[in-house]
């Protein structure tokens, strides 16, 4: 058994598919299968079982997952600790970010960080909040920037900044001519929402429920850019982060409309595993982001 075997095992356990696991760990499907058979032989137990055309974790496989996750995390921490002997002259940061911070806030922070520490390699993955928190728990990311905290108590949370969600409509929409509207005025409108798992969607739905407001959802989109394009095309209206529409509001291709009595704010957060050692590079990046 070696660390690479455990990395491959965790990928197969996540996807329950040898081909997709191979794509994630840059191995061919036959190589993945061989490694898993060798790991099963080393442990003396079957880790996966065939159920028709699908595979599933056996009881032994389920038992191995948390141990393998901790082992990979410990090795990653060991590498970071050794890198710190070189100060901030070398190292790798694996950062996860949900779509709003990942597309509109973190790139600028990375640029400033690279100016100060050009020899630190930075990898950024942009997914929805649930995927980022899951990745942090699985040690795929050293830390993550998210639009809301959806996971349990396996992560520590650092407050970051407040994000204001605004209602945007096309420039030729009837609501664009009004300075403000009442929440009840929205009942007749068609809405475009983010996908389930999005913290933006969770914040919107939560506030609408508190206001006893039911709206018609005509489309679900996986990122803010798609939401903006759909609104500009006249397919509906949407609540979206103000960070995401600064350019469109200045260009007047979208119009922000104030909804009386409905202020949707959410706290953006930084999350990391509770047992995670945050190295000097990680601490420096977080400190820069919080400024």
């Amino acid at each position: 058994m070696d660390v690479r075997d455990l990395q491959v095992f965790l990928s197969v356990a996540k996807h329950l598919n040898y081909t997709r696991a191979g794509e994630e760990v840059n191995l061919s499907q036959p190589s993945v299968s061989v490694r898993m058979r060798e790991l099963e032989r080393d442990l003396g137990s079957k880790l996966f079982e065939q159920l028709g055309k699908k595979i599933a974790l056996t009881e032994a496989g389920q038992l191995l997952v948390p141990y393998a996750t901790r082992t990979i995390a410990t090795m990653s921490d060991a590498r970071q600790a050794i890198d710190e002997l070189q100060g901030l002259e070398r190292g790798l940061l694996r950062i996860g970010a949900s779509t709003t911070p990942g597309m509109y806030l973190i790139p600028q922070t990375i640029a400033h960080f690279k100016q100060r520490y050009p020899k630190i390699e930075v990898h950024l993955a942009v997914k929805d909040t649930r995927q980022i928190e899951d990745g942090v728990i699985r040690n795929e990311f050293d830390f993550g920037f998210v639009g809301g905290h959806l996971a349990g108590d396996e992560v520590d949370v650092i407050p970051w900044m407040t994000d204001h969600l605004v209602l945007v409509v096309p420039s030729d929409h009837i609501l664009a001519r009004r300075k403000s509207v009442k929440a009840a005025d929205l009942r007749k409108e068609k809405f475009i929402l983010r996908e389930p798992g999005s913290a933006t969607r969770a914040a919107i739905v939560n506030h609408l429920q508190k206001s006893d407001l039911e709206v018609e959802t005509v489309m679900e989109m996986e990122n803010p850019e798609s939401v903006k394009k759909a609104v500009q095309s006249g397919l509906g209206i949407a609540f979206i982060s103000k960070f995401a529409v600064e350019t469109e509001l200045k260009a007047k291709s979208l119009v922000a409309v104030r909804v009386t009595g409905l202020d949707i704010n959410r706290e953006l957060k930084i999350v990391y595993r509770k047992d995670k050692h945050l190295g000097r590079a990680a601490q420096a990046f977080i400190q820069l982001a919080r400024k």
Side-chain angles (χ1 to χ4, degrees), residues 180-192:
S180 65
V181 298
K182 297 178 181 179
D185 296 331
L186 305 181
R187 297 185 191 277
K188 304 173 186 177
E189 300 297 329
K190 294 178 172 59
F191 273 79
I192 298 163

Side-chain angles (χ1 to χ4, degrees), residues 188-249:
K188 304 173 186 177
E189 300 297 329
K190 294 178 172 59
F191 273 79
I192 298 163
L193 286 182
R194 288 286 308 281
E195 79 288 358
S198 159
T200 300
R201 178 193 177 109
I204 293 167
V205 171
N206 181 49
H207 279 77
L208 291 180
Q209 288 176 344
K210 287 181 178 178
S211 299
D212 195 26
L213 183 62
E214 291 186 16
V215 297
E216 179 184 358
T217 302
V218 292
M219 299 185 75
E220 293 182 349
M221 298 292 192
E222 293 189 352
N223 63 70
E225 291 298 310
S226 298
V227 172
K228 290 189 293 185
K229 293 296 183 184
V231 174
Q232 288 172 330
S233 298
L235 297 174
I237 64 177
F239 284 100
I240 192 169
S241 167
K242 196 169 184 178
F243 294 123
V245 289
E246 288 179 346
T247 301
E248 289 76 12
L249 294 181

Side-chain angles (χ1 to χ4, degrees), residues 69-270:
T69 301
R70 286 199 295 270
T71 300
I72 299 300
T74 300
M75 289 299 298
S76 175
D77 288 348
R79 289 193 185 96
Q80 283 189 358
I82 291 171
D83 283 344
E84 286 182 18
L85 293 176
Q86 307 294 325
L88 290 171
E89 292 301 310
R90 55 173 284 189
L92 167 67
L93 282 181
R94 302 166 305 153
I95 303 171
S98 60
T99 49
T100 297
M103 296 174 72
Y104 307 106
L105 298 171
I106 297 303
Q108 185 177 20
T109 306
I110 292 176
H112 292 160
F113 183 83
K114 292 293 286 183
Q115 287 175 357
R116 295 188 185 187
Y117 312 109
K119 295 183 180 180
I120 302 291
E121 191 175 350
V122 179
H123 292 178
L124 173 65
V126 180
K127 303 181 179 183
D128 68 34
T129 291
R130 192 176 302 281
Q131 292 172 317
I132 294 302
E133 290 196 333
D134 287 345
V136 166
I137 292 169
R138 291 194 301 266
N139 200 48
E140 294 173 5
F141 309 122
D142 297 315
F143 53 91
F145 295 87
V146 294
H149 177 40
L150 304 176
D153 58 0
E154 295 177 82
V155 298
D156 274 332
V157 179
I158 303 173
W160 184 27
M161 65 173 68
T162 300
D163 181 22
H164 180 55
L165 303 183
V166 296
L167 178 67
V168 292
V169 303
S171 56
D172 59 353
H173 194 280
I174 189 171
L175 296 182
R177 305 190 209 112
R178 299 170 60 177
K179 291 184 179 179
S180 65
V181 298
K182 297 178 181 179
D185 296 331
L186 305 181
R187 297 185 191 277
K188 304 173 186 177
E189 300 297 329
K190 294 178 172 59
F191 273 79
I192 298 163
L193 286 182
R194 288 286 308 281
E195 79 288 358
S198 159
T200 300
R201 178 193 177 109
I204 293 167
V205 171
N206 181 49
H207 279 77
L208 291 180
Q209 288 176 344
K210 287 181 178 178
S211 299
D212 195 26
L213 183 62
E214 291 186 16
V215 297
E216 179 184 358
T217 302
V218 292
M219 299 185 75
E220 293 182 349
M221 298 292 192
E222 293 189 352
N223 63 70
E225 291 298 310
S226 298
V227 172
K228 290 189 293 185
K229 293 296 183 184
V231 174
Q232 288 172 330
S233 298
L235 297 174
I237 64 177
F239 284 100
I240 192 169
S241 167
K242 196 169 184 178
F243 294 123
V245 289
E246 288 179 346
T247 301
E248 289 76 12
L249 294 181
K250 288 179 182 177
K252 298 184 179 179
S253 60
L254 289 174
V255 176
V257 179
R258 180 174 174 272
V259 183
T260 305
L262 188 61
D263 290 322
I264 306 181
N265 295 309
R266 59 174 183 162
E267 295 302 316
L268 302 183
K269 300 176 176 68
I270 304 167

